[in-house]
Amino acid sequence: MIWNSMSKRTANVHVRTQWRPQVSSIAVSIFVALYLLLLMNRSFWSKGWLYLDGRMATIAFFGIGLAALYVALCVSLSVKYAMKPAFILLILASAAMAWFMDRYGVIVDVEMIRNAAETNSAEASHLITPAFLLHLLIYGVLPSMLLVWIRVRHQDFRKKLRTNLVVIFPALAVALIAGLSHAGAYAAATRAHRDWLPTLNPFAPLVTTVQFALRSSAEVNVVAAPIGEDAGVSDSASQRKPRLLVVVVGETARAENFSLGGYVRQTNPELSGKAIYYFRDTTSCGTATAVSLPCMFSVYGRSDYSHEKGRATENLLDVLSHAGVSIEWWDNNTGSKEIAARVPERSLVAREDAQFCADGECQDGILLDELDARIGAVQRDTVLVLHQIGSHGPSYYLRYPQEFRRFVPDCRSAEFSECSQEEIVNAYDNTILYTDHVLAQAIARLEEEQERLDVSLLYMSDHGESLGEYGLYLHGAPYLIAPSEQTHVPFLLWLGTEAQADYSGTCLKAETGPPQSHDNLFHTVLGLMRVETAVRDPQLDLATRCRSRLSG
């Protein structure tokens, strides 16, 4: 009986395995290589066709060379037990990255990986749409299941090594010959179009992921070196009102859609009625929050800044703190990126506020409620930093309340393919309209405190946004190739009655025309708070250069 039972089980296993085709490791490697290259690289091939001017022979040889290179790489990975997990990882990763590159024109560089790593679940959920999950199922999960199902036939180690090398070396030779055949054309195209090779999926994004991991591991024990320890307020607090400066850090607001800068739509109706200085030609330090935000508050200008240097050096908030100024960071976004590591930081996104908050996110009106609660308690020189969620996409429609749906029809989805270009722009413009309201209301609250406080407000966005120009959406393009829509940002300054008397309006008005940048923020805030220190650069301090009289 036992023997018969074992025989039946053996027979059943034999029948089941007959339904699983047996394929050599070389054949599987070639299939995976061609699948990745041909089906997961639509953006890469589209750019290649354009950048190589549609020259068939040049493109054909390039394709042959890449195919040979992909085959060589995949055959190199065809190690027993490790082969299937490695190929499944490549397939799933390439399917996910292809979606964002093809749909939004994203380039997955180190800073894009950093931005993704530092996001929160609420922000990430807007990108994980049903269409994305369907794409991942078809192009990632199903091929992976097929790979799991088949049986891979491996040889013993010596035969496998010999067989693999017989494939790898000729494939590398073909790749080299194909590359040299039109080397001048390929070199010229890659030099002129830095956005091309970074879209080679999945290997280019995986290389940048490894680079990010290595850099991040090196930063674990970094301690910020102090700067500005000599800082002090230049005038006596006993002879004047306490100063209150509100610094509003915008999110994803692009200058092209600010009517203060000439946009045809009236997106700044409330601010246009305020006596503000709007700096029309301001450029950002980066194209993503993870880069721009710490750079804005860093002593280093964009040309000198790096993520490593920023983490290893104290920033503007620390210098203000050294001077005895009270500092608070209020965050309605994904955090301060370590800027507020040494000063009080409050996150508002987890608040249970039925008026402004839902699903782990809050609209920026909650910042006004916080300002109402805090402003009356200000007794000494204070800087409040308000970090907005602003115009963060792709779910623009969640960033403003119903009464600010002025531009309609507006896109009511995180999936842009469900909306027309007009609807996407309408939704984005509504976010700018709401930011206009939040800023104007913040100014109104400061105006009410002018009898007791010397008040001012500075607003600057971290980066811009692409809304379909050049086939790009969202932000995060490498800075060298980023369009102005992602680097041209709004920057404005409002001064209360006390501050207006201290500054030349004519001088400030003249400064609104010439180019300014994120480099100005660090030094201008110090100037507005009358903080003297060796790290303040007078050439970048718009406030001090336009001060018409000195007090105390």
Side-chain angles (χ1 to χ4, degrees):
M1 294 292 293
I2 295 175
W3 176 258
N4 288 338
S5 176
M6 291 177 63
S7 299
K8 287 180 180 180
R9 284 199 296 269
T10 302
N12 289 337
V13 170
H14 179 69
V15 170
R16 287 197 299 270
T17 56
Q18 283 185 323
W19 286 97
R20 294 177 62 200
Q22 191 176 82
V23 187
S24 72
S25 62
I26 296 294
V28 172
S29 299
I30 293 173
F31 171 80
V32 171
L34 296 179
Y35 179 80
L36 295 174
L37 180 63
L38 299 179
L39 293 186
M40 297 292 100
N41 275 285
R42 191 179 76 179
S43 291
F44 178 80
W45 290 118
S46 297
K47 290 176 184 289
W49 179 266
L50 178 65
Y51 299 158
L52 294 174
D53 299 322
R55 290 170 285 180
M56 289 301 299
T58 305
I59 295 170
F61 272 92
F62 192 70
I64 292 170
L66 273 181
L69 192 58
Y70 267 58
V71 167
L73 289 169
C74 287
V75 170
S76 299
L77 295 173
S78 62
V79 180
K80 192 174 184 179
Y81 303 121
M83 177 181 179
K84 283 190 177 183
F87 285 172
I88 289 171
L89 173 63
L90 287 176
I91 290 170
L92 292 174
S94 65
M97 288 183 282
W99 170 266
F100 293 108
M101 288 193 285
D102 297 346
R103 189 59 62 99
Y104 300 114
V106 165
I107 293 177
V108 187
D109 62 358
V110 171
E111 299 308 336
M112 179 62 73
I113 296 293
R114 188 187 311 282
N115 213 48
E118 296 180 1
T119 191
N120 57 30
S121 58
E123 183 178 282
S125 67
H126 298 304
L127 296 171
I128 311 302
T129 63
F132 167 76
L133 294 176
L134 179 61
H135 169 89
L136 193 62
L137 173 65
I138 294 173
Y139 291 98
V141 176
L142 293 181
S144 297
M145 291 175 63
L146 175 62
L147 190 58
V148 170
W149 177 61
I150 64 172
R151 290 185 296 159
V152 179
R153 186 172 63 251
H154 292 278
Q155 299 172 316
D156 63 64
F157 178 76
R158 288 186 179 180
K159 288 183 179 179
K160 185 176 183 64
L161 179 61
R162 184 168 57 250
T163 302
N164 283 5
L165 291 178
V166 166
V167 175
I168 292 171
F169 284 138
L172 292 176
V174 170
L176 179 62
I177 293 169
L180 292 175
S181 66
H182 296 78
Y186 304 144
T190 53
R191 281 198 304 268
H193 305 284
R194 300 290 183 89
D195 62 326
W196 185 24
L197 290 184
T199 62
L200 186 58
N201 193 19
F203 296 108
L206 287 177
V207 167
T208 59
T209 301
V210 172
Q211 291 174 336
F212 168 73
L214 293 174
R215 293 183 187 181
S216 297
S217 63
E219 296 172 3
V220 171
N221 298 316
V222 169
V223 177
I227 60 170
E229 292 184 304
D230 63 330
V233 178
S234 62
D235 53 357
S236 173
S238 62
Q239 300 176 11
R240 57 173 175 79
K241 300 175 183 177
R243 293 192 181 94
L244 171 60
L245 169 62
V246 175
V247 177
V248 183
V249 181
E251 169 64 53
T252 323
R254 68 186 215 172
E256 279 85 348
N257 291 54
F258 262 56
S259 56
L260 289 171
Y263 186 49
V264 292
R265 281 180 163 175
Q266 182 54 275
T267 52
N268 302 124
E270 295 186 52
L271 284 175
S272 62
K274 301 289 185 181
I276 64 171
Y277 301 95
Y278 182 75
F279 302 88
R280 294 170 173 265
D281 187 10
T282 304
T283 54
S284 67
C285 186
T287 62
T289 303
V291 179
S292 281
L293 198 61
C295 184
M296 290 169 71
F297 287 83
S298 170
V299 68
Y300 304 109
R302 190 186 74 80
S303 60
D304 298 322
Y305 178 81
S306 70
H307 181 77
E308 292 76 14
K309 289 170 69 174
R311 284 292 304 274
T313 311
E314 287 187 344
N315 58 64
L316 171 62
L317 304 191
D318 298 299
V319 178
L320 289 168
S321 185
H322 294 326
V325 176
S326 176
I327 308 293
E328 292 180 28
W329 180 287
W330 302 348
D331 204 276
N332 192 35
N333 205 304
T334 57
S336 71
K337 313 303 180 188
E338 300 295 323
I339 300 166
R342 293 163 294 278
V343 301
E345 177 179 1
R346 299 167 58 196
S347 175
L348 307 181
V349 296
R351 293 293 178 87
E352 294 183 3
D353 188 310
Q355 181 180 2
F356 297 114
C357 304
D359 301 323
E361 291 183 322
C362 301
Q363 293 173 346
D364 285 326
I366 197 169
L367 294 168
L368 297 176
D369 282 0
E370 292 298 311
L371 191 58
D372 285 337
R374 178 70 177 86
I375 197 169
V378 174
Q379 300 293 330
R380 63 190 184 97
D381 290 352
T382 301
V383 173
L384 302 177
V385 183
L386 282 56
H387 186 199
Q388 293 183 284
I389 197 168
S391 302
H392 200 285
S395 300
Y396 302 128
Y397 69 100
L398 296 177
R399 308 300 172 227
Y400 49 90
Q402 178 69 23
E403 59 266 30
F404 285 86
R405 291 184 66 188
R406 190 167 305 173
F407 304 108
V408 291
D410 53 341
C411 182
R412 310 294 292 178
S413 171
E415 180 50 67
F416 286 163
S417 63
E418 298 177 3
C419 302
S420 68
Q421 188 66 22
E422 178 188 8
E423 290 170 335
I424 294 170
V425 174
N426 284 345
Y428 182 83
D429 282 349
N430 287 335
T431 69
I432 301 298
L433 185 70
Y434 189 50
T435 287
D436 171 79
H437 171 74
V438 170
L439 294 176
Q441 287 300 305
I443 290 172
R445 285 155 171 76
L446 293 175
E447 288 173 329
E448 294 173 357
E449 298 293 328
Q450 292 186 107
E451 290 298 319
R452 191 175 63 85
L453 300 172
D454 180 357
V455 293
S456 54
L457 180 144
L458 184 152
Y459 167 81
M460 182 181 278
S461 182
D462 61 351
H463 55 77
E465 184 86 324
S466 287
L467 298 175
E469 300 87 1
Y470 315 107
L472 298 177
Y473 290 90
L474 305 180
H475 52 268
Y479 201 90
L480 287 176
I481 60 172
S484 65
E485 289 81 7
Q486 294 190 31
T487 60
H488 184 199
V489 293
F491 169 28
L492 63 87
L493 176 65
W494 173 84
L495 301 174
T497 304
E498 198 82 11
Q500 287 177 26
D502 287 342
Y503 296 92
S504 165
T506 302
C507 173
L508 284 171
K509 190 70 175 177
E511 294 291 350
T512 62
Q516 310 295 349
S517 73
H518 277 171
D519 294 0
N520 296 103
L521 180 68
F522 182 100
H523 309 279
T524 299
V525 168
L526 292 177
L528 288 169
M529 296 304 294
R530 303 292 182 87
V531 172
E532 294 296 335
T533 170
V535 297
R536 182 181 64 82
D537 185 348
Q539 297 304 311
L540 294 172
D541 176 4
L542 300 177
T544 301
R545 117 176 33 158
C546 288
R547 196 172 296 158
S548 58
R549 66 174 174 82
L550 299 177
S551 60

